Amino acid sequence: MTVLAATDNAVLVRVENLSVTLAGAVRAVDGIDFQIGHGECVALVGESGCGKTLTALSLLRSLPPGVEKIDCARMEFEGRRIDLMGRSDLRRLRGGQAAMVFQDPTTSFNPLFRIGDQLVETIRAHRKFSRAAATKLAMRCLGEAGLEEAARVFGSYPHQLSGGQRQRAFIAMALSTEPKLLIADEPTTALDVTVQRQIVDLLARLARQRGLSLLLITHNLAVVARLADRVLMMYAGQIVECSTVEELFSAPAHPYSRALIECLPSLERVHSRPPTIPGNVPRPGHWPTGCRFIDRCARAAGGCELPQRLKAIGHGGRLVRCHLAGGLKNRVGGGDESGG
Ligand code: SF4
């Protein structure tokens, strides 16, 4: 089995052969392997419907309605088997050792309780703190998350804060339990463009200061470039490329990665329409039998109608699910070797 390895030996999370099945026996995530190292930021990237969020939620064994089951050969957090954990261990893991920040800070908090009360409650659910000690820690975490008026935020209801303040407060709550892993699911998507950059910088600073591992779920390649060490590109329930962030942006190896990067806004194309990838991600249950990208791939040729396996490119642990990978001239903007 292929293992998408962390960049060093200190593995925090190890997932082997993970599949998620929706109601009606429809596969939405299909045999995923990956690892996250201590202090490493791994980005799960792809369009909506590729299976990114289901993959991340599976790590916490916390799946939304409509999911029938998760299967895996092995799922570990610091060497402990998540897939074999009972309820109380899972409770300690969720929000304790592994915390999650969601896309929409408006719905992340309970609107009926003050921000401070929700932080104190979370801290006391995971750590043996008195109310006074938890209050002190909550105030400190709000300050660390860049909320200068921590006392005002502590006493506010969620609706009294701006979107950016709510996201900072939620990050403060996620970090208040001193997790080793932070799962950030599209953490900037619901925010104004000016605030997005501040939140990305905040996550980068906190991850660095705390030696935190990050699993970043996003379709925003600018956020990936700023935060990630390693990228797992997902398409139709599978990982189609695993590379370092430098490899991905300098020479994307899978035609899907390459197409996504070519769609990025560019000053050179300021007077022309940006390129797009034709069509949509096929829905679970409607995946092509061969390469799942075949209907949208400009390079589809003979052999693409067969199922594709991840294959190693070079010697650095880079993996690509395309039989032409390695034979393509992959610099963005360049053609393939046949001139196509
Ligand atoms: Fe495109 Fe063929 Fe590679 Fe699939 S296998 S990504 S269709 S070139």
Side-chain angles (χ1 to χ4, degrees):
M1 182 182 305
T2 310
V3 172
L4 307 182
T7 47
D8 60 33
N9 292 331
V11 175
L12 179 70
V13 172
R14 186 190 309 272
V15 174
E16 292 180 10
N17 204 13
L18 169 69
S19 295
V20 179
T21 306
L22 306 179
V26 174
R27 279 271 173 97
V29 175
D30 192 16
I32 300 272
D33 299 340
F34 66 94
Q35 297 178 0
I36 305 172
H38 282 276
E40 185 183 35
C41 176
V42 173
L44 272 179
V45 180
E47 294 163 278
S48 299
C50 285
K52 308 183 299 292
T53 297
L54 284 177
T55 299
L57 287 173
S58 304
L59 267 183
L60 304 179
R61 302 260 307 275
S62 168
L63 293 175
V67 171
E68 197 170 272
K69 61 173 179 164
I70 59 173
D71 297 297
C72 65
R74 193 174 197 88
M75 198 188 290
E76 292 179 357
F77 187 92
E78 282 197 308
R80 286 173 295 135
R81 293 283 296 266
I82 304 173
D83 50 321
L84 302 180
M85 276 182 186
R87 284 187 179 191
S88 60
D89 283 340
L90 276 176
R91 249 197 315 274
R92 270 194 289 278
L93 179 76
R94 295 176 188 145
Q97 295 135 325
M100 192 152 180
V101 174
F102 299 96
Q103 181 178 129
D104 186 356
T106 311
T107 54
S108 302
F109 284 107
N110 185 328
L112 300 177
F113 295 95
R114 288 188 168 86
I115 297 287
D117 292 336
Q118 297 187 56
L119 261 82
V120 167
E121 193 73 20
T122 301
I123 292 167
R124 298 191 72 203
H126 290 279
R127 304 173 77 177
K128 289 193 172 77
F129 274 38
S130 66
R131 182 161 288 278
T135 300
K136 201 170 160 192
L137 176 60
M139 294 285 281
R140 189 166 54 114
C141 289
L142 289 170
E144 279 181 32
L147 289 159
E148 286 167 10
E149 297 177 281
R152 182 183 71 79
V153 172
F154 187 92
S156 299
Y157 287 95
H159 74 272
Q160 294 174 310
L161 303 180
S162 69
Q165 287 173 324
R166 272 195 296 267
Q167 193 63 307
R168 284 178 187 275
F170 199 79
I171 290 170
M173 185 159 80
L175 296 181
S176 66
T177 59
E178 305 239 317
K180 294 184 174 165
L181 174 70
L182 183 67
I183 301 172
D185 187 358
E186 303 279 10
T188 60
T189 304
L191 302 173
D192 293 344
V193 175
T194 48
V195 181
Q196 288 182 4
R197 175 64 194 246
Q198 295 169 14
I199 295 297
V200 169
D201 288 348
L202 172 67
L203 286 172
R205 175 171 60 78
L206 291 173
R208 194 176 56 247
Q209 286 173 349
R210 292 171 170 249
L212 199 62
S213 302
L214 271 179
L215 178 59
L216 175 69
I217 301 156
T218 186
H219 61 269
N220 185 333
L221 290 173
V223 175
V224 173
R226 175 79 179 91
L227 280 177
D229 300 305
R230 214 152 46 87
V231 181
L232 304 177
M233 187 65 72
M234 281 194 77
Y235 189 80
Q238 294 177 321
I239 289 172
V240 295
E241 177 166 354
C242 166
S243 347
T244 64
V245 73
E246 292 83 10
E247 288 168 338
L248 181 79
F249 284 99
S250 62
H254 192 280
Y256 180 57
S257 315
R258 179 181 172 131
L260 283 183
I261 289 173
E262 286 181 339
C263 291
L264 286 172
S266 158
L267 283 175
E268 290 163 18
R269 291 195 299 260
V270 76
H271 296 301
S272 58
R273 284 167 69 97
T276 55
I277 307 175
N280 297 301
V281 181
R283 283 183 293 126
H286 297 269
W287 293 329
T289 49
C291 172
R292 294 180 186 174
F293 189 52
I294 191 167
D295 294 334
R296 307 174 73 193
C297 182
R299 294 166 184 277
C304 301
E305 71 285 0
L306 300 171
Q308 303 294 310
R309 290 178 168 276
L310 280 171
K311 65 175 186 177
I313 304 286
H315 305 287
R318 189 171 199 194
L319 296 165
V320 183
R321 193 183 293 275
C322 169
H323 69 111
L324 296 181
L328 297 175
K329 189 176 168 186
N330 281 321
R331 299 263 161 211
V332 174
D336 63 24
E337 284 169 350
S338 63

